[in-house]
Amino acid sequence: MNDSYAVIGNPIAHSKSPLIHAAFAQQTNQSMHYAALLAPLDGFQPTVENFRSQGGKGLNVTVPFKLEAYRFSTHLTERASIAQAVNTLKFERDEILGDNTDGAGLVRDIETNLGVPIDNKRILLMGAGGAARGVILPLLQKKPALLSIANRTPHKAEALQKLFDTYGKVTSGDFMHFSGETFDIVINATSASLHDELPELPIGIFAQTGLAYDMMYGREPTRFLKFAQQSGARKIADGIGMLVEQAAESFYLWRNIKPETKPVIAMLKSII
Ligand code: NDP
C-alpha cells in the first residue's frame, strides 16, 4: 500500500497542497497518496489519531490548527519550538515530530526564486498571527539589518518582539508607529488580503528599490501589492512561491528527497 499523507484544516476544500504533493511525488517517483482532511473545529486531535491509526505517515497543518499541532507533537524541531506553531507532522513509531516549514519556504522564495538577498536589509513584517510567528526566526537567521513587526493590535507585535529579540534587531508597533521609516522588504503576513482589505500603512514605507511580498495569493495582485506598486516598490510578489517552497520542505522531511519547485510554481500559476 502507498504511504499516506494529507493536509488537515478547516476549511480545507480550497487547499492546493494535494495538487502540489501529487506533482512532487510524480516528479520524484515516490509511491505515496496525499489527501485533504477536514477536521471539525473542536476535533483536531481525534481526526489526527484516526488518520495515524490507519497508517498515515504525515500531515500538513493549516488554519486554524497550527497551535494545536504544536501542543500535540511529542518532539519538535528548533524552528517549530521557537515559533510555537507547527505546520508539518511526521509520524514514526510512537513519535510525533512537529516542524514549521513556513519560514524556510518564505526565505527560499524571496532569496532563490525572486533573487532578493535578505542580509543587511530593513524588513517590515506586517501581522502578528500564526504565519508571522513562523517566519520570524528564519528571517532573522538571514541577518537582516532590522526586522520590524507591525500589527493592528500592537501588543501582539510587542510580544513577538520580546520572544525573538535575542536573535537579531527587532522593533514593533502599530502600522503608524513606522511613519517616516523606509523598508527594503515589506511582507504582508496579515489576513487582510483574504477580505480584500488593505492595512493602513504610512506613506513612504516602501524603498524605491524594494520588494513588497503578500503571503496571500490569487489570480490578480492583492490591494496591498497594487498599493505597493503605486507607492514605488520595484518588485512585487504573492505567496504562491512560499506555498510551494514550504510544501517542498515538508516533502523533504517525509521522503528525504528534494523536489524541483520551479515547474510546480509555474503549474499553479497557470491554473489559479
Ligand atoms: P491569523 O488569523 O493567525 O493572523 C491574522 C493577522 O492579520 C493578525 O495579525 C491580524 O491582526 C491581522 N489582520 C487581520 N485583518 C486585518 C486588517 N483588516 N488590517 C490589518 N491587520 C489585519 O492568520 P495567519 O497568520 O495564519 O495567516 C495570515 C495570512 O498568511 C493569510 O492570508 C494566510 O492565507 C497567509 N499564509 C500564506 C502562506 C503561504 O504559504 N503562502 C502560509 C501561511 C499563511 P490583529 O492581531 O490585530 O487581529
Side-chain angles (χ1 to χ4, degrees):
M1 213 173 78
N2 288 347
D3 287 348
S4 176
Y5 300 88
V7 56
I8 184 169
N10 186 330
I12 203 62
H14 67 286
S15 175
K16 301 281 179 278
S17 293
L19 267 180
I20 296 171
H21 284 278
F24 288 165
Q26 191 183 28
Q27 192 198 100
T28 56
N29 289 318
Q30 298 292 297
S31 303
M32 57 183 272
H33 177 256
Y34 190 106
L37 199 57
L38 178 71
L41 289 173
D42 59 353
F44 173 75
Q45 199 159 323
T47 309
V48 175
E49 290 293 12
N50 185 42
F51 178 76
R52 214 175 142 214
S53 68
Q54 290 175 12
K57 299 275 183 203
L59 287 168
N60 282 129
V61 181
T62 186
V63 177
F65 298 125
K66 289 184 186 179
L67 201 65
E68 274 187 77
Y70 165 74
R71 293 197 208 102
F72 184 68
S73 304
T74 59
H75 295 71
L76 291 163
T77 60
E78 187 197 18
R79 57 194 182 184
S81 163
I82 293 166
Q84 295 172 10
V86 157
N87 80 337
T88 308
L89 293 169
K90 181 182 179 185
F91 308 126
E92 237 172 13
R93 295 173 298 277
D94 289 344
E95 191 177 296
I96 301 168
L97 177 68
D99 193 6
N100 190 320
T101 64
D102 280 339
L106 174 70
V107 164
R108 196 172 149 81
D109 195 34
I110 291 177
E111 291 206 318
T112 308
N113 300 340
L114 300 168
V116 178
I118 292 170
D119 73 296
N120 224 19
K121 296 284 171 62
R122 290 170 57 85
I123 301 180
L124 180 67
L125 179 65
M126 299 160 54
R133 185 176 270 277
V135 302
I136 295 173
L137 181 67
L139 284 170
L140 287 173
Q141 285 171 333
K142 290 288 170 181
K143 305 261 177 275
L146 169 74
L147 177 68
S148 295
I149 307 167
N151 198 45
R152 182 175 62 180
T153 314
H155 74 84
K156 292 189 197 165
E158 220 172 277
L160 288 183
Q161 177 190 353
K162 285 196 183 120
L163 193 62
F164 289 100
D165 67 3
T166 51
Y167 299 94
K169 187 170 178 205
V170 184
T171 63
S172 65
D174 60 16
F175 295 109
M176 282 305 157
H177 176 82
F178 297 100
S179 188
E181 293 192 45
T182 296
F183 294 89
D184 306 300
I185 302 175
V186 181
I187 301 164
N188 186 8
T190 74
S191 50
S193 297
L194 278 176
H195 316 289
D196 196 26
E197 289 168 4
L198 177 69
E200 209 179 311
L201 286 168
I203 306 283
I205 206 104
F206 300 97
Q208 303 297 298
T209 52
L211 166 71
Y213 192 102
D214 200 329
M215 287 193 188
M216 166 84 182
Y217 52 83
R219 195 184 297 265
E220 297 292 325
T222 61
R223 280 182 66 185
F224 165 75
L225 291 180
K226 286 183 191 152
F227 175 75
Q229 211 161 29
Q230 285 154 11
S231 308
R234 188 169 59 85
K235 228 173 188 168
I236 59 167
D238 71 14
I240 203 87
M242 173 180 174
L243 180 75
V244 174
E245 295 296 347
Q246 62 79 28
E249 282 277 318
S250 301
F251 191 88
Y252 178 65
L253 181 78
W254 295 327
R255 310 299 301 181
N256 205 27
I257 182 164
K258 287 218 162 147
E260 281 283 327
T261 49
K262 283 219 167 83
V264 181
I265 293 173
M267 178 269 286
L268 274 191
K269 280 186 177 163
S270 73
I271 60 164
I272 273 176

